[in-house]
């Protein structure tokens, strides 16, 4: 049997203590004592007890950035190709959570009950959304790039939350289906001919089921109508 690494032992100890005592009542010293390591070892892997909870988003964002950088070297044939690259990248994020298994579910339960942790999670989501928006920005208008990035993140989070709640037997398949919905909304260039300007904003944690109908109505309203 493979012995857990010090990093894994610290994470296991932290989540056990958060469950037993509560997040606010648990200290770094409590975690190191439970894990059987020293403070120096703790700070070699984590900057604070808050960092124990979340995945290594810096590493994951760098990995996704590298994937998108490779995609930039491939000839891009409009928004559809750019969106396909983003879909591939967002799948990496989902697979990371799936690999964490029960740890991801314990994190979800904890962040749902501690406002400060939920706020940090929302701020992290914004980093992914910005990365996706910057990648597709050259293939569509600024507004459509913003809306597309928000929809991609909402689609991913919708599927991820369903899996975390035990409602999705095949989250990868669900994500592929959700991304097809997003592609159907943004892969084609916008219709012209309508008067006026439409501006839409969504929260980073907005659900895909709420976003898609709104975007569909916008697309239909903007399309030119026959005389």
């Amino acid at each position: 049997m493979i012995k857990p690494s010090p990093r894994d032992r610290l994470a296991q100890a932290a989540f056990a203590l958060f469950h037993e005592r509560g997040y606010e009542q648990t200290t770094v010293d409590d975690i190191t004592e439970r894990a059987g390591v020293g403070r120096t070892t703790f700070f070699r892997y984590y900057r604070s007890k808050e960092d124990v909870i979340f995945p290594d988003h810096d590493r994951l964002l760098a990995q996704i950035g590298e994937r998108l950088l490779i995609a930039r070297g491939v000839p891009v044939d409009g928004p559809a190709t750019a969106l396909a690259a983003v879909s591939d990248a967002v799948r990496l994020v989902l697979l990371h959570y799936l690999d964490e298994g029960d740890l991801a579910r314990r994190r979800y339960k904890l962040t749902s009950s501690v406002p400060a942790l939920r706020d940090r999670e929302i701020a992290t989501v914004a980093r992914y959304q910005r990365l996706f928006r910057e990648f597709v920005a050259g293939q569509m208008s600024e507004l459509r790039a913003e809306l597309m990035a928000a929809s991609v993140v909402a689609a991913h989070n919708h599927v991820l939350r369903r899996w975390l709640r035990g409602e999705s037997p095949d989250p990868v398949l669900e994500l592929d289906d959700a991304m097809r919905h997003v592609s159907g909304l943004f892969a084609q260039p916008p219709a012209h001919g309508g008067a006026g300007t439409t501006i839409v904003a969504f929260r980073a944690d907005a659900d895909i089921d709420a976003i898609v109908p709104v975007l569909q109505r916008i697309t239909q309203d903007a399309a030119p109508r026959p005389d």
Side-chain angles (χ1 to χ4, degrees):
M1 186 175 181
I2 300 176
K3 184 178 180 181
S5 67
R7 181 187 181 92
D8 289 340
R9 297 211 312 273
L10 285 164
Q12 293 168 6
F15 275 95
L17 288 167
F18 295 153
H19 176 71
E20 295 169 13
R21 306 180 185 179
Y23 172 75
E24 298 294 347
Q25 289 70 36
T26 301
T27 66
V28 169
D29 288 336
D30 294 332
I31 296 171
T32 57
E33 181 179 355
R34 175 68 65 91
V37 302
R39 286 175 60 89
T40 301
T41 300
F42 178 93
F43 289 109
R44 184 181 303 139
Y45 296 105
Y46 303 106
R47 290 170 294 185
S48 67
K49 67 175 184 179
E50 188 178 72
D51 281 346
V52 181
I53 297 168
F54 294 96
D56 188 352
H57 285 295
D58 288 340
R59 182 184 62 80
L60 192 53
L61 281 160
Q63 182 181 358
I64 293 171
E66 290 174 2
R67 179 69 65 92
L68 293 177
L69 187 62
I70 293 173
R72 284 189 188 278
V74 177
V76 176
D77 185 20
T81 307
L83 189 53
V86 171
S87 297
D88 181 56
V90 79
R91 179 189 275 234
L92 291 178
V93 183
L94 179 66
L95 291 175
H96 177 84
Y97 281 93
L98 298 183
D99 287 342
E100 288 187 320
D102 184 61
L103 178 62
R105 290 191 168 98
R106 294 166 73 184
R107 180 191 303 118
Y108 176 66
K109 183 176 181 180
L110 183 62
T111 55
S112 297
S113 61
V114 180
L117 299 179
R118 189 163 57 249
D119 290 344
R120 170 167 170 169
E121 190 170 45
I122 291 172
T124 300
V125 168
R127 296 175 64 190
Y128 288 94
Q129 184 169 321
R130 181 169 61 251
L131 182 63
F132 297 145
R133 183 191 67 232
E134 291 173 351
F135 176 75
V136 302
Q139 303 302 316
M140 57 186 70
S141 70
E142 183 178 349
L143 174 59
R144 282 172 64 82
E146 188 72 59
L147 291 172
M148 189 284 295
S151 297
V152 167
V153 169
H156 169 270
N157 289 348
H158 170 77
V159 173
L160 175 61
R161 284 193 294 267
R162 277 180 44 77
W163 175 75
L164 291 169
R165 295 192 297 260
E167 299 169 359
S168 174
D170 193 338
V172 175
L173 184 64
E174 284 195 19
L175 180 64
D176 289 344
D177 184 59
M179 291 307 301
R180 280 192 289 271
H181 279 286
V182 176
S183 179
L185 292 167
F186 294 98
Q188 298 301 320
H192 296 286
T197 301
T198 302
I199 300 177
V200 182
F202 295 106
R203 300 187 315 275
D205 59 343
D207 195 280
I208 188 65
D209 285 342
I211 289 180
V212 169
V214 175
L215 293 176
Q216 288 174 332
R217 288 197 298 272
I218 292 171
T219 304
Q220 293 166 358
D221 291 344
R225 290 175 170 77
D227 295 332

